[in-house]
Amino acid sequence: MDDDGEVLLDIDATTPRRATLSDFLERVSLVADSDEIPDGQAHGGVVTLMTVHTAKGLEFPVVFVTGMEDSVFPHARALSSARELEEERRLAHVGLTRARKRAFISFAANRRIHNLWQSSVPSRFVAELPAEHVEMASAPGLWGAASPAAARQR
């Protein structure tokens, strides 16, 4: 990506052209079919971005689940409905159980949503994980070494 927010998009192997980030994301979304994701040795150690819905039925050595904040995951619309909250919990479980060896969860102390900075707390789902399987690491001054449950009580 250059300073103007443009990326070099390789439409075909012989004709690269300048494209916007939107062009790139549209191209990526068109090739993100789970049937086309290589497995095992064929995977070649590449990073594969996908939604939790796309990940159903797949496994990877390492999984990163991002945006684990209340109002992001679980989504704000799900917080007022026990049924929807349970569906979000099920999706979080799907995401985490795609990992064969390790799963990493990330959350932000502050997030820009609709051009406004908002403070956030770790997802309630993080606090529901067995403590013996969770290692908290964060930058000083953010959530520190406190557990998500303790951070929510501040």
Side-chain angles (χ1 to χ4, degrees), residues 74-154:
H75 193 276
R77 289 184 298 238
L79 297 177
S80 61
S81 165
R83 185 181 61 76
E84 290 183 32
L85 188 59
E86 191 55 37
E87 175 62 14
E88 292 280 292
R89 182 176 283 107
R90 187 187 67 74
L91 285 172
H93 181 265
V94 166
L96 292 172
T97 57
R98 300 307 87 203
R100 287 186 191 123
K101 295 181 182 177
R102 294 192 75 179
F104 292 85
I105 297 170
S106 70
F107 49 84
N110 297 291
R111 181 176 292 278
R112 195 173 192 141
I113 300 176
H114 304 294
N115 209 26
L116 298 172
W117 283 103
Q118 297 179 4
S119 294
S120 56
V121 296
S123 171
R124 62 193 66 210
F125 302 152
V126 176
E128 295 171 0
L129 295 171
E132 64 272 14
H133 297 291
V134 177
E135 177 185 333
M136 293 290 290
S138 67
L142 297 176
W143 294 111
S147 71
R152 229 183 353 265
Q153 294 172 358
R154 290 183 193 174

Side-chain angles (χ1 to χ4, degrees), residues 51-52 140:
T51 66
V52 175

